[in-house]
Coordinates of all heavy atoms in Angstrom, one line a residue:
M222 N -38.9 10.5 -16.2 CA -38.8 9.4 -15.4 C -37.7 8.5 -15.8 O -36.9 8.0 -14.9 CB -40.2 8.6 -15.4 CG -40.3 7.6 -14.3 SD -40.9 8.4 -12.9 CE -41.8 7.1 -12.1
R223 N -37.5 8.2 -17.0 CA -36.4 7.4 -17.5 C -35.1 8.0 -17.3 O -34.1 7.3 -17.0 CB -36.6 7.1 -19.0 CG -35.6 6.1 -19.6 CD -36.1 5.6 -20.9 NE -35.2 4.8 -21.6 CZ -34.9 3.5 -21.3 NH1 -35.5 2.9 -20.2 NH2 -34.1 2.8 -22.0
L224 N -35.0 9.3 -17.3 CA -33.7 10.0 -17.1 C -33.2 9.8 -15.7 O -32.0 9.7 -15.4 CB -33.9 11.5 -17.4 CG -32.6 12.3 -17.4 CD1 -31.6 11.8 -18.4 CD2 -32.9 13.8 -17.7
S225 N -34.1 9.7 -14.7 CA -33.7 9.5 -13.3 C -33.1 8.1 -13.1 O -32.2 8.0 -12.4 CB -35.0 9.6 -12.4 OG -35.5 10.9 -12.5
R226 N -33.6 7.1 -13.8 CA -33.1 5.8 -13.7 C -31.7 5.7 -14.3 O -30.8 5.1 -13.8 CB -34.0 4.8 -14.5 CG -35.3 4.5 -13.8 CD -36.1 3.5 -14.5 NE -37.4 3.4 -14.0 CZ -38.4 2.8 -14.6 NH1 -38.2 2.2 -15.7 NH2 -39.6 2.8 -14.0
I227 N -31.5 6.4 -15.4 CA -30.2 6.5 -16.1 C -29.2 7.1 -15.1 O -28.0 6.6 -14.9 CB -30.2 7.2 -17.4 CG1 -31.1 6.3 -18.4 CG2 -28.8 7.4 -18.0 CD1 -31.4 7.0 -19.7
R228 N -29.6 8.2 -14.5 CA -28.7 8.9 -13.6 C -28.3 8.1 -12.4 O -27.2 8.0 -11.9 CB -29.3 10.2 -13.1 CG -29.3 11.3 -14.2 CD -29.8 12.6 -13.7 NE -29.9 13.6 -14.7 CZ -30.5 14.7 -14.6 NH1 -31.2 15.0 -13.5 NH2 -30.5 15.6 -15.6
A229 N -29.3 7.4 -11.8 CA -29.1 6.5 -10.7 C -28.2 5.4 -11.0 O -27.2 5.1 -10.3 CB -30.4 6.0 -10.2
T230 N -28.4 4.8 -12.2 CA -27.5 3.7 -12.6 C -26.1 4.2 -12.8 O -25.1 3.5 -12.4 CB -28.0 3.0 -13.9 OG1 -29.4 2.6 -13.7 CG2 -27.2 1.9 -14.4
T231 N -25.9 5.3 -13.4 CA -24.6 5.9 -13.7 C -23.9 6.2 -12.3 O -22.7 5.9 -12.1 CB -24.7 7.2 -14.5 OG1 -25.3 6.9 -15.7 CG2 -23.3 7.8 -14.8
A232 N -24.6 6.8 -11.4 CA -24.1 7.1 -10.1 C -23.6 5.8 -9.3 O -22.6 5.8 -8.7 CB -25.1 7.9 -9.3
L233 N -24.4 4.8 -9.4 CA -24.1 3.5 -8.7 C -22.8 2.9 -9.4 O -22.0 2.4 -8.7 CB -25.2 2.6 -8.7 CG -26.4 2.9 -7.8 CD1 -27.5 1.9 -8.0 CD2 -25.9 2.8 -6.3
G234 N -22.8 3.0 -10.7 CA -21.6 2.5 -11.4 C -20.3 3.2 -11.0 O -19.3 2.6 -10.8
L235 N -20.4 4.5 -10.9 CA -19.2 5.3 -10.5 C -18.8 5.0 -9.1 O -17.6 4.9 -8.8 CB -19.5 6.8 -10.7 CG -19.6 7.3 -12.2 CD1 -20.1 8.7 -12.2 CD2 -18.3 7.1 -12.9
L236 N -19.8 4.8 -8.2 CA -19.5 4.5 -6.8 C -18.8 3.2 -6.7 O -17.8 3.0 -6.0 CB -20.8 4.5 -6.0 CG -20.6 4.2 -4.5 CD1 -19.7 5.2 -3.8 CD2 -22.0 4.2 -3.9
A237 N -19.3 2.2 -7.4 CA -18.7 0.8 -7.4 C -17.3 0.9 -7.9 O -16.4 0.3 -7.4 CB -19.6 -0.1 -8.2
G238 N -17.1 1.6 -9.0 CA -15.7 1.7 -9.6 C -14.8 2.4 -8.6 O -13.6 2.0 -8.4
T239 N -15.2 3.4 -7.9 CA -14.4 4.1 -6.9 C -14.0 3.2 -5.8 O -12.9 3.1 -5.3 CB -15.1 5.3 -6.4 OG1 -15.4 6.2 -7.4 CG2 -14.3 6.1 -5.3
V240 N -15.0 2.4 -5.3 CA -14.7 1.5 -4.2 C -13.7 0.4 -4.6 O -12.8 0.1 -3.9 CB -16.0 0.9 -3.6 CG1 -15.8 -0.3 -2.7 CG2 -16.9 1.9 -3.0
M241 N -13.9 -0.1 -5.8 CA -13.0 -1.2 -6.3 C -11.6 -0.6 -6.5 O -10.6 -1.3 -6.2 CB -13.6 -1.8 -7.5 CG -14.8 -2.6 -7.3 SD -15.6 -3.3 -8.7 CE -14.3 -4.4 -9.3
W242 N -11.5 0.6 -7.0 CA -10.2 1.2 -7.3 C -9.4 1.4 -6.0 O -8.3 1.2 -5.8 CB -10.3 2.5 -8.1 CG -9.0 3.1 -8.3 CD1 -8.1 2.8 -9.3 CD2 -8.3 4.1 -7.5 NE1 -7.0 3.5 -9.2 CE2 -7.1 4.4 -8.1 CE3 -8.7 4.8 -6.4 CZ2 -6.2 5.3 -7.6 CZ3 -7.9 5.8 -5.9 CH2 -6.6 6.0 -6.5
T243 N -10.1 1.9 -5.0 CA -9.5 2.2 -3.7 C -9.0 1.0 -3.0 O -7.9 0.9 -2.5 CB -10.6 2.9 -2.7 OG1 -11.0 4.1 -3.4 CG2 -9.9 3.3 -1.4
A244 N -9.8 -0.1 -3.1 CA -9.3 -1.4 -2.5 C -8.1 -1.9 -3.2 O -7.2 -2.5 -2.5 CB -10.5 -2.4 -2.5
S245 N -8.0 -1.8 -4.5 CA -6.9 -2.3 -5.2 C -5.7 -1.4 -5.2 O -4.6 -1.9 -5.5 CB -7.2 -2.6 -6.7 OG -7.5 -1.4 -7.3
A246 N -5.8 -0.2 -4.8 CA -4.7 0.8 -4.8 C -3.8 0.5 -3.6 O -2.7 1.0 -3.6 CB -5.3 2.2 -4.7
S247 N -4.3 -0.1 -2.5 CA -3.5 -0.3 -1.3 C -2.9 -1.7 -1.3 O -3.6 -2.7 -1.3 CB -4.4 -0.1 -0.1 OG -3.7 -0.5 1.1
P248 N -1.6 -1.8 -1.3 CA -0.9 -3.1 -1.2 C -1.4 -3.9 0.0 O -1.5 -5.2 -0.1 CB 0.5 -2.8 -1.2 CG 0.7 -1.5 -1.7 CD -0.6 -0.7 -1.3
A249 N -1.6 -3.3 1.1 CA -2.0 -4.1 2.3 C -3.4 -4.7 2.0 O -3.6 -5.9 2.4 CB -2.1 -3.2 3.5
T250 N -4.2 -4.1 1.4 CA -5.5 -4.6 1.1 C -5.4 -5.7 0.0 O -6.0 -6.7 0.1 CB -6.5 -3.5 0.6 OG1 -6.6 -2.5 1.7 CG2 -7.9 -4.1 0.4
A251 N -4.7 -5.4 -1.0 CA -4.6 -6.3 -2.2 C -3.9 -7.6 -1.8 O -4.2 -8.6 -2.4 CB -3.8 -5.6 -3.3
S252 N -3.0 -7.6 -0.8 CA -2.3 -8.8 -0.5 C -2.9 -9.5 0.7 O -2.3 -10.3 1.3 CB -0.8 -8.5 -0.2 OG -0.7 -7.7 1.0
G253 N -4.1 -9.1 1.1 CA -4.8 -9.7 2.2 C -4.5 -9.1 3.6 O -4.9 -9.6 4.6
G254 N -3.6 -8.1 3.6 CA -3.3 -7.4 4.8 C -2.5 -8.2 5.8 O -2.7 -8.0 7.0
A255 N -1.7 -9.1 5.4 CA -1.0 -10.1 6.2 C 0.1 -9.4 7.0 O 1.3 -9.8 6.8 CB -0.5 -11.3 5.4
G256 N -0.2 -8.4 7.8 CA 0.9 -7.7 8.6 C 1.7 -6.7 7.8 O 2.7 -6.2 8.4
W257 N 1.3 -6.3 6.6 CA 2.1 -5.3 5.9 C 1.8 -3.9 6.5 O 0.7 -3.6 6.8 CB 1.7 -5.3 4.4 CG 2.2 -6.5 3.7 CD1 1.5 -7.6 3.4 CD2 3.5 -6.7 3.2 NE1 2.3 -8.5 2.7 CE2 3.6 -8.0 2.6 CE3 4.7 -5.9 3.2 CZ2 4.7 -8.5 2.0 CZ3 5.8 -6.5 2.6 CH2 5.8 -7.7 2.0
R258 N 2.8 -3.1 6.6 CA 2.7 -1.7 7.1 C 3.6 -0.8 6.3 O 4.6 -1.2 5.8 CB 3.0 -1.6 8.6 CG 4.4 -1.9 8.9 CD 4.7 -2.0 10.4 NE 6.1 -2.2 10.7 CZ 6.7 -3.3 10.8 NH1 6.1 -4.4 10.5 NH2 8.0 -3.4 11.0
E259 N 3.2 0.5 6.2 CA 4.0 1.5 5.5 C 5.1 1.8 6.4 O 5.0 2.1 7.6 CB 3.1 2.7 5.2 CG 2.2 2.6 4.1 CD 1.5 3.9 3.9 OE1 2.2 5.0 3.8 OE2 0.3 3.9 3.7
E260 N 6.3 1.9 5.8 CA 7.5 2.3 6.6 C 8.1 3.6 6.1 O 8.8 4.2 6.8 CB 8.5 1.2 6.4 CG 9.7 1.3 7.4 CD 9.3 1.2 8.9 OE1 8.3 0.6 9.2 OE2 10.0 1.9 9.7
G261 N 7.8 4.0 4.9 CA 8.3 5.3 4.4 C 8.0 5.6 3.0 O 7.4 4.7 2.3
H262 N 8.3 6.8 2.5 CA 8.1 7.2 1.2 C 9.4 7.7 0.6 O 10.1 8.4 1.2 CB 7.0 8.3 1.1 CG 5.7 7.9 1.8 ND1 4.8 7.1 1.2 CD2 5.2 8.3 3.0 CE1 3.8 6.9 2.0 NE2 4.0 7.6 3.1
F263 N 9.6 7.4 -0.7 CA 10.9 7.7 -1.4 C 10.6 8.3 -2.7 O 9.6 8.0 -3.3 CB 11.8 6.4 -1.5 CG 12.1 5.9 -0.2 CD1 11.3 4.9 0.5 CD2 13.3 6.2 0.5 CE1 11.6 4.4 1.7 CE2 13.6 5.7 1.7 CZ 12.7 4.8 2.4
D264 N 11.6 9.1 -3.2 CA 11.5 9.7 -4.5 C 11.7 8.7 -5.7 O 11.1 8.9 -6.7 CB 12.5 10.9 -4.7 CG 12.2 12.0 -3.7 OD1 11.0 12.2 -3.4 OD2 13.1 12.7 -3.3
T265 N 12.5 7.7 -5.5 CA 12.8 6.8 -6.6 C 12.6 5.3 -6.1 O 12.7 5.0 -4.9 CB 14.2 6.9 -7.1 OG1 15.1 6.6 -6.0 CG2 14.5 8.4 -7.6
Q266 N 12.4 4.5 -7.1 CA 12.3 3.0 -6.8 C 13.6 2.5 -6.2 O 13.6 1.7 -5.3 CB 12.0 2.3 -8.1 CG 11.5 0.9 -8.1 CD 10.2 0.7 -7.5 OE1 10.1 0.3 -6.3 NE2 9.1 1.0 -8.2
G267 N 14.8 3.0 -6.7 CA 16.1 2.5 -6.2 C 16.3 2.9 -4.8 O 16.8 2.1 -4.0
A268 N 15.9 4.1 -4.4 CA 16.1 4.5 -2.9 C 15.2 3.7 -2.0 O 15.6 3.3 -0.9 CB 15.7 6.0 -2.8
C269 N 14.0 3.3 -2.5 CA 13.1 2.5 -1.7 C 13.7 1.1 -1.6 O 13.7 0.5 -0.5 CB 11.7 2.4 -2.4 SG 10.5 1.4 -1.6
R270 N 14.2 0.5 -2.6 CA 14.8 -0.8 -2.6 C 16.0 -0.8 -1.6 O 16.2 -1.8 -0.9 CB 15.2 -1.3 -3.9 CG 14.0 -1.7 -4.8 CD 14.5 -2.3 -6.1 NE 13.4 -2.5 -7.0 CZ 13.4 -2.1 -8.2 NH1 14.5 -1.5 -8.8 NH2 12.3 -2.3 -9.0
K271 N 16.8 0.2 -1.7 CA 18.0 0.3 -0.8 C 17.6 0.3 0.6 O 18.2 -0.4 1.5 CB 18.8 1.5 -1.2 CG 20.1 1.6 -0.4 CD 20.9 2.8 -0.9 CE 22.2 3.0 -0.2 NZ 23.0 4.1 -0.6
A272 N 16.6 1.1 1.0 CA 16.1 1.2 2.4 C 15.5 -0.2 2.8 O 15.7 -0.6 3.9 CB 15.1 2.3 2.5
G273 N 14.8 -0.8 1.9 CA 14.1 -2.1 2.2 C 15.2 -3.1 2.5 O 15.1 -3.9 3.5
Q274 N 16.1 -3.2 1.6 CA 17.2 -4.3 1.8 C 18.0 -4.0 3.0 O 18.4 -4.9 3.8 CB 18.1 -4.3 0.5 CG 19.1 -5.4 0.6 CD 18.5 -6.8 0.6 OE1 17.4 -7.0 0.0 NE2 19.0 -7.7 1.4
S275 N 18.3 -2.8 3.3 CA 19.0 -2.4 4.5 C 18.2 -2.9 5.8 O 18.8 -3.4 6.7 CB 19.2 -0.9 4.6 OG 19.8 -0.5 5.8
G276 N 16.9 -2.7 5.8 CA 16.1 -3.1 6.9 C 16.1 -4.6 7.1 O 16.1 -5.1 8.2
V277 N 16.1 -5.3 6.0 CA 16.2 -6.8 6.0 C 17.5 -7.3 6.6 O 17.6 -8.1 7.5 CB 15.9 -7.4 4.6 CG1 16.2 -8.9 4.6 CG2 14.5 -7.2 4.2
E278 N 18.6 -6.6 6.1 CA 19.9 -7.0 6.6 C 20.1 -6.7 8.1 O 20.8 -7.4 8.8 CB 21.0 -6.3 5.8 CG 21.1 -6.8 4.4 CD 22.0 -5.9 3.5 OE1 22.5 -4.8 4.0 OE2 22.2 -6.2 2.3
R279 N 19.5 -5.7 8.6 CA 19.6 -5.3 10.0 C 18.5 -5.9 10.9 O 18.3 -5.6 12.0 CB 19.6 -3.8 10.2 CG 20.9 -3.1 9.6 CD 20.9 -1.7 9.8 NE 19.8 -1.0 9.0 CZ 19.2 0.1 9.4 NH1 19.5 0.7 10.5 NH2 18.3 0.6 8.6
S280 N 17.7 -6.9 10.3 CA 16.6 -7.6 10.9 C 15.6 -6.7 11.5 O 14.9 -7.0 12.5 CB 17.2 -8.5 12.0 OG 18.1 -9.4 11.5
K281 N 15.3 -5.5 10.8 CA 14.2 -4.7 11.3 C 12.9 -5.2 10.8 O 11.9 -5.0 11.4 CB 14.4 -3.2 10.7 CG 15.5 -2.5 11.4 CD 15.7 -1.1 10.8 CE 14.5 -0.2 11.2 NZ 14.7 1.2 10.6
W282 N 12.9 -5.9 9.7 CA 11.7 -6.6 9.1 C 12.1 -7.8 8.3 O 13.3 -7.9 7.9 CB 10.8 -5.6 8.3 CG 11.6 -4.7 7.3 CD1 12.1 -5.1 6.2 CD2 11.9 -3.4 7.5 NE1 12.7 -4.1 5.5 CE2 12.6 -3.0 6.3 CE3 11.6 -2.4 8.5 CZ2 13.1 -1.7 6.1 CZ3 12.1 -1.1 8.3 CH2 12.8 -0.7 7.1
D283 N 11.2 -8.6 8.0 CA 11.5 -9.9 7.3 C 11.4 -9.7 5.8 O 12.2 -10.3 5.1 CB 10.5 -11.0 7.7 CG 10.6 -11.3 9.2 OD1 11.7 -11.1 9.7 OD2 9.6 -11.7 9.8
E284 N 10.5 -9.0 5.3 CA 10.4 -8.7 3.8 C 9.9 -7.3 3.6 O 9.4 -6.7 4.4 CB 9.5 -9.7 3.1 CG 8.5 -10.5 3.9 CD 7.6 -11.4 3.1 OE1 7.7 -11.5 1.8 OE2 6.8 -12.0 3.7
Y285 N 10.1 -6.9 2.4 CA 9.7 -5.6 2.0 C 9.2 -5.6 0.5 O 9.5 -6.5 -0.2 CB 10.9 -4.5 2.1 CG 11.9 -4.7 1.1 CD1 11.9 -3.9 -0.1 CD2 13.0 -5.6 1.2 CE1 12.9 -4.0 -1.0 CE2 14.0 -5.7 0.3 CZ 13.9 -4.9 -0.9 OH 14.9 -5.1 -1.8
K286 N 8.5 -4.5 0.1 CA 8.2 -4.3 -1.3 C 8.0 -2.8 -1.5 O 7.6 -2.1 -0.6 CB 6.9 -5.1 -1.7 CG 5.7 -4.8 -0.9 CD 4.6 -5.8 -1.3 CE 3.4 -5.7 -0.4 NZ 2.3 -6.7 -0.7
C287 N 8.3 -2.4 -2.7 CA 8.2 -1.0 -3.0 C 7.0 -0.9 -4.0 O 7.0 -1.6 -5.0 CB 9.5 -0.5 -3.6 SG 10.9 -0.5 -2.5
R288 N 6.1 0.0 -3.7 CA 4.9 0.2 -4.6 C 4.7 1.7 -4.8 O 5.1 2.5 -4.0 CB 3.7 -0.4 -3.9 CG 3.7 -1.9 -3.7 CD 3.6 -2.6 -5.0 NE 3.5 -4.1 -4.8 CZ 4.5 -4.9 -5.0 NH1 5.7 -4.5 -5.4 NH2 4.3 -6.2 -4.9
P289 N 4.1 2.0 -6.0 CA 3.8 3.4 -6.2 C 2.9 4.0 -5.1 O 2.1 3.3 -4.6 CB 3.1 3.4 -7.6 CG 3.5 2.1 -8.2 CD 3.7 1.1 -7.1
G290 N 3.2 5.2 -4.8 CA 2.4 5.9 -3.7 C 1.0 6.3 -4.3 O 0.7 6.0 -5.4
R291 N 0.2 6.9 -3.5 CA -1.1 7.3 -3.9 C -1.1 8.4 -5.0 O -2.0 8.5 -5.8 CB -1.9 7.7 -2.7 CG -2.1 6.6 -1.7 CD -3.4 6.7 -1.0 NE -3.6 5.7 0.0 CZ -4.2 4.6 -0.2 NH1 -4.8 4.3 -1.4 NH2 -4.3 3.7 0.7
S292 N 0.0 9.1 -5.1 CA 0.2 10.0 -6.2 C 1.4 9.5 -6.9 O 2.2 8.7 -6.4 CB 0.4 11.5 -5.7 OG 1.7 11.6 -5.1
A293 N 1.6 10.0 -8.1 CA 2.7 9.5 -9.0 C 4.1 10.1 -8.6 O 5.1 9.7 -9.2 CB 2.5 9.8 -10.4
S294 N 4.1 10.9 -7.5 CA 5.4 11.6 -7.2 C 6.2 10.9 -6.2 O 7.3 11.3 -5.8 CB 5.0 13.0 -6.7 OG 4.3 12.9 -5.5
Y295 N 5.8 9.7 -5.6 CA 6.7 9.0 -4.7 C 6.4 7.5 -4.7 O 5.4 7.0 -5.3 CB 6.5 9.6 -3.3 CG 5.1 9.4 -2.7 CD1 4.8 8.2 -2.0 CD2 4.2 10.4 -2.8 CE1 3.5 8.0 -1.4 CE2 2.9 10.2 -2.2 CZ 2.6 9.1 -1.5 OH 1.4 8.9 -1.0
V296 N 7.3 6.8 -4.1 CA 7.2 5.3 -4.0 C 7.1 5.0 -2.5 O 7.8 5.5 -1.7 CB 8.5 4.6 -4.6 CG1 8.4 3.1 -4.4 CG2 8.7 5.0 -6.0
T297 N 6.2 4.1 -2.1 CA 6.0 3.7 -0.7 C 6.7 2.4 -0.4 O 6.6 1.4 -1.2 CB 4.5 3.6 -0.4 OG1 3.9 4.8 -0.7 CG2 4.3 3.2 1.0
L298 N 7.4 2.3 0.7 CA 8.1 1.1 1.2 C 7.1 0.4 2.2 O 6.7 1.0 3.2 CB 9.4 1.5 1.9 CG 10.1 0.3 2.7 CD1 10.5 -0.8 1.7 CD2 11.2 0.8 3.5
W299 N 6.7 -0.8 1.8 CA 5.9 -1.6 2.7 C 6.7 -2.7 3.3 O 7.5 -3.4 2.6 CB 4.7 -2.2 1.8 CG 3.7 -1.2 1.4 CD1 3.8 -0.5 0.2 CD2 2.5 -0.8 2.0 NE1 2.7 0.3 0.1 CE2 1.9 0.1 1.2 CE3 1.9 -1.2 3.2 CZ2 0.7 0.7 1.6 CZ3 0.7 -0.6 3.6 CH2 0.1 0.3 2.7
V300 N 6.6 -3.0 4.6 CA 7.4 -4.0 5.2 C 6.5 -5.0 6.0 O 5.3 -4.6 6.4 CB 8.4 -3.4 6.1 CG1 9.4 -2.5 5.3 CG2 7.8 -2.6 7.3
R301 N 7.0 -6.2 6.3 CA 6.3 -7.1 7.1 C 7.2 -7.9 8.0 O 8.3 -8.3 7.6 CB 5.6 -8.1 6.2 CG 4.8 -9.2 6.9 CD 3.9 -10.0 6.1 NE 4.5 -10.7 5.0 CZ 3.9 -11.5 4.1 NH1 2.6 -11.6 4.2 NH2 4.6 -12.0 3.2
G302 N 6.8 -8.1 9.2 CA 7.5 -8.9 10.2 C 8.7 -8.2 10.8 O 8.7 -6.9 10.8
G303 N 9.6 -8.9 11.4 CA 10.8 -8.3 12.0 C 10.6 -8.0 13.5 O 9.6 -8.3 14.1
A304 N 11.7 -7.4 14.0 CA 11.8 -7.2 15.5 C 10.7 -6.2 15.9 O 10.3 -6.2 17.1 CB 13.2 -6.6 15.8
R305 N 10.3 -5.3 15.1 CA 9.3 -4.3 15.5 C 8.0 -4.9 15.9 O 7.3 -4.4 16.7 CB 9.2 -3.3 14.3 CG 8.4 -2.1 14.7 CD 8.5 -1.0 13.6 NE 7.6 0.0 13.9 CZ 7.3 1.0 13.0 NH1 7.8 0.9 11.8 NH2 6.4 1.9 13.4
L306 N 7.6 -6.0 15.3 CA 6.4 -6.7 15.6 C 6.5 -7.6 16.8 O 5.5 -7.9 17.5 CB 5.9 -7.5 14.4 CG 5.3 -6.7 13.2 CD1 4.9 -7.6 12.1 CD2 4.2 -5.8 13.7
T307 N 7.7 -8.1 17.1 CA 7.8 -9.1 18.1 C 7.8 -8.4 19.5 O 7.6 -9.1 20.5 CB 9.1 -9.9 18.0 OG1 10.2 -9.1 18.0 CG2 9.0 -10.7 16.7
G308 N 8.1 -7.1 19.6 CA 8.1 -6.4 20.9 C 9.4 -6.5 21.5 O 10.4 -7.1 21.1
P309 N 9.6 -5.8 22.7 CA 10.8 -5.8 23.4 C 11.2 -7.1 24.0 O 10.3 -7.9 24.4 CB 10.6 -4.7 24.4 CG 9.1 -4.7 24.7 CD 8.5 -5.1 23.4
T310 N 12.5 -7.4 24.1 CA 13.0 -8.6 24.7 C 13.2 -8.3 26.2 O 13.7 -7.2 26.6 CB 14.2 -9.1 24.0 OG1 15.2 -8.1 24.1 CG2 14.0 -9.5 22.6
V311 N 12.9 -9.2 27.0 CA 13.1 -9.1 28.5 C 14.3 -10.0 28.8 O 14.3 -11.2 28.6 CB 11.9 -9.5 29.3 CG1 12.1 -9.4 30.7 CG2 10.7 -8.7 28.8
G312 N 15.3 -9.4 29.4 CA 16.6 -10.1 29.7 C 16.7 -10.3 31.1 O 17.1 -10.8 32.0

């Protein structure tokens, strides 16, 4: 009987840890989701920064950040704001 309680407690602890890790792994979730969206994946931090800065200079988005991807093999470019969110202009 006692072994079942230990197993149940262990399973609940692992589940809670998984849920907390998943929430903190996503920059959009960790930063409150204030309009951040994935824009691309890059092999290096430098390539990600270059693409992010280029987008800011061309007014594609207002800000960017580079964060590790879900695996250790790439870096994800996250962007917020810019012309893409405002929609097409009517002239």
Side-chain angles (χ1 to χ4, degrees):
M222 195 82 150
R223 184 162 175 78
L224 187 57
S225 296
R226 289 183 192 166
I227 292 172
R228 286 183 182 167
T230 303
T231 302
L233 286 174
L235 290 173
L236 179 62
T239 301
V240 168
M241 291 175 67
W242 179 83
T243 302
S245 66
S247 172
T250 304
S252 66
W257 290 99
R258 65 186 185 277
E259 285 185 46
E260 191 62 32
H262 303 286
F263 299 87
D264 292 332
T265 64
Q266 195 68 257
C269 180
R270 287 188 189 129
K271 185 176 179 180
Q274 187 60 38
S275 174
V277 169
E278 289 171 358
R279 292 184 291 149
S280 299
K281 287 179 72 177
W282 45 76
D283 297 332
E284 19 178 357
Y285 73 94
K286 58 186 171 183
C287 297
R288 297 289 186 257
R291 297 211 183 263
S292 71
S294 62
Y295 63 87
V296 179
T297 302
L298 172 63
W299 291 88
V300 299
R301 177 167 60 179
R305 192 168 171 195
L306 287 180
T307 59
T310 58
V311 178

